[in-house]
C-alpha cells in the first residue's frame, strides 16, 4: 500500500501502513497517565478540539504517533491502543486511566483474548503473544506476507491476520499453552482485499472491505458468504456492524464518506460525508450509534442509523490528523491525535 504524505500546520505526517519500521520503546512499569479536560484549543497540536473532550496522555510515548489500529475489549473493559514504536497501551474509558504494557517491540495492530495480548509488528512480519501484565513475550510466529491487522477469534482460539498484498487472511491456531507458537492452519482468499477486519460479537462472522465492495466471511467454514457493492469508488478502514438492527456501515477512501447497507442482502440504505480524506468509522452497542471521522479531517459525526438511512446526531471538533476511531459498549467513543501522541475521549450523552 503506497505511502500518503499529508502536510499539516507545523509538521508533516507520512503514512505508510505496510512500510518497514525500526526502533523500540524502553520497557517500564505500568503507570497511570494524566487525564485533562481541554478547552477549544489543544495546546500541542494548536487545532480546535471540542470542549467536552478528555485528553488521555500516553505515558512514555512519542510526541507524534502515526496511529492506526484500535480495538475495545469488553472482557477487560479496556481500549487497546497500538502506538507503533511507543508500544501498546490499555485505556479504561470509565475511569480514564492509562496503563502501559512494558513491551519493547513495535506494535502496529493488537487484540486480546483468553488472558493474552496479541501484537503484530508489520516491519518484522511477526506476531508476538504476550503476558498483558508483565509484557513478556511468551511465543512468536512469522506471517507469510506483509500484514495489516490481527484479530482474535475466541470461538476457534485462532488469530486472523489480514494480508492485503496476498489478498487474503492468514489463520493461526493457538496451542494449549501460551508458550506454544501459533500454528499456521489456513487461509481465506479475499480478492481485492482485505482492507480492515471486523468480527461479530460471537466470532461467527467476519467482515472486510475489498476494492469497492465489502465481504462477509463464515469463520468456521473459512469462506466468503457474500460480496456487496458499497457505493464507494474505493474503500478504507473497518466495516462496522450493528448486529441488533442488522446494519453495516462501509467506509470510503475519500471525502469521509460512509454508506449504510442492509446486513441481510447488502442493499444500500443511505450515505453520509463528513468531508476530508479517508473515512474511519466506529459503532457503539450501548448508544446504537455509528461514528465517523476522516483523516485528514476536523470533525467526528455521530450518526443514527435505520432502514431509512443515516441521520446526524452530533458533531465534535478534533485535530486534523489522527488515523483511528473507536467506541465501546458503555457510551464512549475516542479518536487519536497523531500530532500530540495522545487519545481524545468523548461521552455520547
Amino acid at each position: 500500500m503506497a505511502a500518503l504524505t499529508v502536510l499539516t500546520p507545523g509538521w508533516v505526517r507520512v503514512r505508510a501502513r505496510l512500510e518497514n519500521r525500526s526502533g523500540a520503546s524502553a520497557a517500564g512499569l505500568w503507570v497511570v497517565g494524566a487525564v485533562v479536560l481541554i478547552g477549544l484549543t489543544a495546546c500541542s497540536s494548536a487545532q480546535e478540539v471540542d470542549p467536552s473532550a478528555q485528553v488521555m496522555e500516553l505515558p512514555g510515548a512519542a510526541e507524534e504517533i502515526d496511529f492506526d489500529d484500535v480495538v475495545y475489549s469488553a472482557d477487560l473493559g479496556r481500549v487497546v491502543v497500538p502506538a507503533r514504536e511507543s508500544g501498546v497501551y490499555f485505556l479504561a474509558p470509565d475511569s480514564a486511566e492509562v496503563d502501559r504494557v512494558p513491551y519493547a517491540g513495535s506494535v502496529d495492530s493488537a487484540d486480546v483474548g483468553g488472558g493474552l495480548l496479541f501484537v503484530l509488528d508489520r516491519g518484522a512480519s511477526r506476531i508476538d503473544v504476550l503476558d498483558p501484565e508483565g509484557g513478556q513475550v511468551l511465543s512468536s510466529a512469522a506471517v507469510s506476507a506483509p500484514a495489516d491487522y490481527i484479530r482474535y477469534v475466541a470461538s476457534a482460539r485462532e488469530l486472523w491476520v489480514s494480508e492485503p498484498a496476498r489478498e487474503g487472511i492468514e489463520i493461526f491456531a493457538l496451542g494449549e499453552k501460551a508458550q506454544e507458537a501459533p500454528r499456521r492452519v489456513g487461509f481465506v482468499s479475499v480478492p481485492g482485499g482485505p482492507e480492515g477486519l471486523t468480527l461479530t460479537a460471537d466470532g461467527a462472522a467476519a467482515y472486510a472491505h475489498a476494492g469497492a465492495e465489502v465481504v462477509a466471511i463464515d469463520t468456521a467454514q473459512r469462506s466468503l458468504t457474500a460480496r456487496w457493492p458499497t457505493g464507494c469508488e474505493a474503500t478504507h478502514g473497518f466495516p462496522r456492524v450493528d448486529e441488533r438492527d442488522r446494519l453495516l456501515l462501509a467506509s470510503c477512501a475519500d471525502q469521509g464518506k460512509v454508506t449504510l447497507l442492509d446486513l441481510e442482502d447488502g442493499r444500500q440504505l443511505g450515505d453520509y460525508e463528513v468531508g476530508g480524506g479517508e473515512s474511519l468509522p466506529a459503532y457503539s452497542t450501548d448508544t446504537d450509534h455509528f461514528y465517523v471521522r476522516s483523516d485528514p479531517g476536523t470533525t467526528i459525526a455521530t450518526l443514527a442509523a435505520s432502514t431509512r438511512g443515516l441521520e446526524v446526531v452530533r458533531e465534535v471538533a478534533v485535530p486534523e490528523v489522527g488515523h483511528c476511531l473507536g467506541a465501546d459498549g458503555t457510551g464512549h467513543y475516542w479518536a487519536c491525535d497523531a500530532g500530540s501522541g495522545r487519545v481524545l475521549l468523548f461521552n455520547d450523552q
Side-chain angles (χ1 to χ4, degrees):
M1 196 171 294
L4 171 67
T5 303
V6 179
L7 298 179
T8 64
W11 67 295
V12 178
R13 177 174 183 259
V14 179
R15 176 172 174 260
R17 292 177 50 194
L18 298 181
E19 70 179 353
N20 289 333
R21 299 175 181 272
S22 61
S25 59
L29 297 176
W30 290 64
V31 296
V32 176
V35 179
V36 183
L37 185 65
I38 61 177
L40 291 177
T41 302
C43 296
S44 56
S45 59
Q47 296 185 38
E48 288 189 358
V49 176
D50 191 89
S52 66
Q54 284 185 306
V55 174
M56 303 184 76
E57 305 286 355
L58 306 183
E63 292 184 359
E64 297 179 5
I65 300 175
D66 184 22
F67 293 104
D68 186 359
D69 190 22
V70 61
V71 65
Y72 177 72
S73 168
D75 291 340
L76 297 180
R78 296 290 186 273
V79 184
V80 184
V81 181
R84 308 291 194 174
E85 288 80 6
S86 294
V88 60
Y89 293 80
F90 286 166
L91 280 59
D94 289 329
S95 64
E97 292 183 345
V98 182
D99 297 324
R100 185 184 188 187
V101 178
Y103 170 69
S106 178
V107 185
D108 299 294
S109 178
D111 203 358
V112 295
L116 300 170
L117 171 63
F118 311 104
V119 304
L120 171 67
D121 184 331
R122 292 173 180 161
S125 295
R126 186 184 70 246
I127 298 167
D128 281 340
V129 179
L130 308 182
D131 170 1
E133 294 189 5
Q136 297 93 342
V137 177
L138 304 175
S139 61
S140 300
V143 296
S144 300
D148 212 2
Y149 299 107
I150 186 170
R151 290 295 181 261
Y152 174 66
V153 182
S155 57
R157 296 194 73 248
E158 293 175 343
L159 298 175
W160 284 39
V161 181
S162 61
E163 298 172 350
R166 196 179 172 194
E167 295 195 13
I169 300 166
E170 191 168 16
I171 302 171
F172 295 82
L174 297 177
E176 292 299 321
K177 298 180 180 179
Q179 290 75 15
E180 298 177 32
R183 296 179 294 105
R184 191 176 295 105
V185 294
F187 183 81
V188 178
S189 178
V190 184
E195 163 64 18
L197 181 60
T198 299
L199 294 166
T200 55
D202 61 4
Y207 297 89
H209 290 123
E213 300 175 310
V214 65
V215 297
I217 305 168
D218 184 314
T219 57
Q221 299 298 319
R222 300 177 184 171
S223 62
L224 273 60
T225 59
R227 190 174 184 118
W228 303 310
T230 61
C232 305
E233 292 186 8
T235 52
H236 174 268
F238 294 83
R240 299 299 186 182
V241 178
D242 174 358
E243 296 182 54
R244 180 176 59 192
D245 298 320
R246 306 298 295 164
L247 301 171
L248 180 145
L249 194 72
S251 48
C252 305
D254 60 4
Q255 298 302 314
K257 180 180 177 180
V258 290
T259 62
L260 186 67
L261 307 183
D262 187 309
L263 203 56
E264 300 300 331
D265 57 12
R267 179 167 46 97
Q268 295 178 33
L269 303 172
D271 60 57
Y272 175 77
E273 293 184 7
V274 73
E278 297 170 326
S279 55
L280 299 158
Y283 174 73
S284 170
T285 55
D286 178 70
T287 63
D288 196 27
H289 284 159
F290 288 105
Y291 310 89
V292 61
R293 71 159 296 170
S294 58
D295 184 28
T298 57
T299 303
I300 299 175
T302 298
L303 304 173
S306 70
T307 55
R308 297 183 300 275
L310 295 165
E311 179 182 355
V312 179
V313 175
R314 180 190 182 199
E315 292 184 344
V316 296
V318 291
E320 185 179 16
V321 180
H323 208 76
C324 81
L325 182 68
D328 61 20
T330 59
H332 304 96
Y333 61 101
W334 50 85
C336 298
D337 177 3
S340 301
R342 60 191 185 178
V343 175
L344 306 177
L345 176 68
F346 298 89
N347 288 321
D348 187 0
Q349 302 296 336

